[in-house]
Amino acid sequence: QVQLVESGGGLVQAGESLRLSCATSKSIFSFSAMAWYRQTPGHERELVAAIVGGGTIRYADSVQGRFTISRDMARNMLHLQMNNLKPEDTAVYFCKGHYTTRDYWGQGTQVTVSS
């Protein structure tokens, strides 16, 4: 019964901000790693940001300094604050959590950035 549900996507102009949220059916403490990925049609899904191990955070070079990944332990949620959005950030964003022995994925939320 592991479920992840993303929300917060939308249409914005370049330079604006969005905050994505991922609601989980399990305690955040139950996931050994959590991450945000994104994918555009015809392209491979790429890692955007991740929290792994004892809380180590990693970002893709393309979003370093603009995006922030965080966990809300009390609400069992994962967030991605996206600032200074660029047209190249346009993609479907997915939440991923590693639980026990495998990865679980949300359904994705669309982010579109116009110039």
Side-chain angles (χ1 to χ4, degrees):
Q1 298 185 32
V2 178
Q3 295 180 335
L4 306 174
V5 181
E6 303 96 332
S7 63
L11 173 63
V12 298
Q13 295 183 352
E16 296 183 341
S17 300
L18 281 175
R19 189 183 75 160
L20 304 184
S21 297
C22 174
T24 68
S25 62
K26 300 290 185 180
S27 169
I28 290 295
F29 291 104
S30 299
F31 295 92
S32 58
M34 300 200 77
W36 287 97
Y37 285 73
R38 65 187 182 188
Q39 185 172 27
T40 56
H43 295 79
E44 298 294 324
R45 189 170 298 182
E46 66 173 348
L47 175 67
V48 176
I51 300 177
V52 299
T56 300
I57 298 176
R58 298 191 179 99
Y59 294 100
D61 290 341
S62 59
V63 307
Q64 185 77 45
R66 298 188 297 120
F67 291 10
T68 302
I69 187 172
S70 63
R71 297 172 294 185
D72 186 332
M73 303 297 190
R75 296 181 177 180
N76 294 327
M77 299 187 73
L78 182 74
H79 300 288
L80 183 68
Q81 178 66 44
M82 305 185 295
N83 297 327
N84 191 25
L85 283 162
K86 304 176 180 180
E88 51 263 42
D89 294 320
T90 295
V92 176
Y93 284 72
F94 297 88
C95 175
K96 185 190 79 173
H98 188 80
Y99 181 83
T100 308
T101 61
R102 58 158 288 184
D103 291 331
Y104 292 84
W105 295 86
Q107 81 288 348
T109 185
Q110 177 71 47
V111 172
T112 302
V113 184
S114 62
S115 61

